[in-house]
Amino acid sequence: MKHDKPRVAIQGIRASFHEEAAFKYFGEDIHTIECKSFKQTFEALQNKEADYVVMAIENSIAGSILPNYSLLLSYAFPVVGEIYLPIQLHLMALPGVKFEDIKYVTSHPIAIRQCVDFFDEYPHLNIVESNDTAACAKRIRDEQLTDTVAIANTLAARLYGLDVLERRIESNKKNFTRFLILTHHENVTKKQPNKASLCFQVSNKVGSLAKVLNIFAEEGVNMSKIQSMPILGKRNEYNFYVDIEWEDAKSYDTAIRQILKYTHNFNILGEYQRHEEEGPAAPKPVKSEKVPRTYINMKKMS
């Protein structure tokens, strides 16, 4: 069944940072599918209840979200894009509530940790942790709480009718989160990629990983991220998740062919256009006739 608007699965509820990232990538004319967990977003995609997943993968302060790397490999949906979202945190309350009336501050634990300087200034405030920033704002609206404020984004304030009492209370003003965009294979765009997410294993021998990294360097392919994850049940064996960028597609193709000799269980999780702040955030989805060769599991080629 064809849908007029892209159905985008997010972890959390409307007006969360995940929905803000989805809006930044697709525009606001989307249908948001709210999910309680990251796993549930992939289930929604697998069951054709969603067309895309927007998933946080790392934060500049909190670091990588490790369980989400496992989901990438387990479900094998292609990564077709990325978006970097500045995390701006605001203090919000019901209209008419004054700062001196506040007794409780509620938000996600990570958001709370990112506002330590603010809490140092107001040690009398009681902190209440929750599982979602936007859900905290919604609860204030639903329960008409006059002694509680939420830490969330401007989307939440607008959607749930709250006033922003203090803007930009995050301690680090350069805080951002990187989100990945995933979809079904038939939705992969034909845009010329210049970034890829890879996953592979190397033998447990001296210099095995170095050989792979040297190939990237020799071919002029930039490695922008590397993350290792232990393989369950296997001692001293790891999956390496690597993001690479290139200017010349031939250099990328040459590098991939060469590193296949030194890796096993090699997968290209996705090829896409890297996020450029100055340019358009997202290419328009264009359905392709067949799955590109690079999305095929290359295990047999190693």
Side-chain angles (χ1 to χ4, degrees):
M1 181 185 295
K2 188 176 180 179
H3 299 269
D4 295 334
K5 299 180 180 180
R7 299 170 301 164
V8 183
I10 63 167
Q11 186 273 324
I13 68 170
R14 291 204 58 205
S16 64
F17 283 106
H18 273 83
E19 187 178 55
E20 186 176 351
F23 285 166
K24 189 173 181 180
Y25 188 86
F26 293 99
E28 297 193 14
D29 192 23
I30 63 173
H31 179 61
T32 303
I33 308 295
E34 299 175 343
C35 299
K36 294 181 179 179
S37 67
F38 289 113
K39 185 177 183 353
Q40 198 176 92
T41 64
F42 280 83
E43 290 293 321
L45 191 59
Q46 185 167 269
N47 296 332
K48 298 297 180 78
E49 296 166 358
D51 304 306
Y52 296 90
V53 163
V54 174
M55 180 185 72
I57 196 67
E58 63 181 297
N59 176 267
S60 57
I61 295 175
S64 297
I65 305 174
L66 298 180
N68 289 357
Y69 281 94
S70 297
L71 289 173
L72 287 176
L73 197 57
S74 298
Y75 283 86
F77 289 115
V79 180
V80 293
E82 65 175 359
I83 201 79
Y84 285 85
L85 183 70
I87 302 301
Q88 300 180 357
L89 299 168
H90 312 296
L91 203 70
M92 57 195 68
L94 287 173
V97 170
K98 298 179 180 178
F99 190 83
E100 52 265 30
D101 300 328
I102 300 168
K103 296 179 182 178
Y104 303 97
V105 180
T106 180
S107 193
H108 190 282
I110 292 179
I112 290 170
R113 288 203 299 271
Q114 293 171 0
C115 301
V116 289
D117 292 343
F118 175 82
F119 289 113
D120 286 344
E121 286 186 45
Y122 304 99
H124 66 283
L125 295 176
N126 297 294
I127 298 171
V128 180
E129 295 185 351
S130 183
N131 62 348
D132 185 64
T133 55
C136 294
K138 183 176 184 294
R139 177 171 168 258
I140 290 175
R141 193 275 311 269
D142 292 347
E143 300 181 19
Q144 290 292 292
L145 302 176
T146 56
D147 62 352
T148 304
V149 289
I151 297 174
N153 59 14
T154 52
L155 273 182
R158 188 173 69 202
L159 182 63
Y160 301 116
L162 303 183
D163 285 349
V164 175
L165 301 183
E166 294 280 345
R167 294 187 178 274
R168 303 297 305 273
I169 66 169
E170 69 274 10
S171 300
N172 189 329
K173 306 304 181 188
K174 295 182 179 180
N175 182 17
F176 64 85
T177 296
R178 178 184 177 220
F179 297 81
L180 297 179
I181 317 300
L182 300 102
T183 190
H184 302 285
H185 285 283
E186 59 265 27
N187 285 341
V188 174
T189 67
K190 292 181 178 179
K191 285 273 188 174
Q192 186 66 35
N194 55 14
K195 188 169 183 176
S197 294
L198 315 176
C199 180
F200 55 81
Q201 299 166 28
V202 296
S203 61
N204 188 22
K205 296 179 181 178
V206 175
S208 295
L209 180 60
K211 288 180 181 178
V212 174
L213 303 186
N214 283 335
I215 289 170
F216 289 141
E218 290 166 2
E219 294 301 326
V221 175
N222 178 50
M223 184 182 67
S224 58
K225 168 83 174 181
I226 183 169
Q227 180 70 54
S228 64
M229 286 279 289
I231 300 173
L232 291 177
K234 296 186 177 182
R235 185 180 177 185
N236 295 329
E237 292 191 32
Y238 296 85
N239 279 318
F240 290 96
Y241 295 85
V242 173
D243 292 331
I244 56 175
E245 304 173 358
W246 61 89
E247 300 300 330
D248 182 5
K250 290 182 180 179
S251 297
Y252 166 66
D253 288 337
T254 301
I256 293 298
R257 285 196 298 271
Q258 290 189 44
I259 67 172
L260 285 171
K261 303 172 186 176
Y262 303 103
T263 62
H264 55 278
N265 292 336
F266 182 92
N267 287 271
I268 296 181
L269 302 174
E271 295 175 326
Y272 48 95
Q273 291 189 328
R274 63 177 174 261
H275 176 209
E276 304 286 358
E277 188 62 44
E278 296 75 21
K284 296 296 182 183
V286 179
K287 291 190 176 182
S288 58
E289 295 296 325
K290 59 182 179 180
V291 178
R293 63 166 179 84
T294 46
Y295 290 112
I296 298 173
N297 186 316
M298 293 186 175
K299 180 177 178 182
K300 294 180 180 179
M301 296 176 63
S302 60

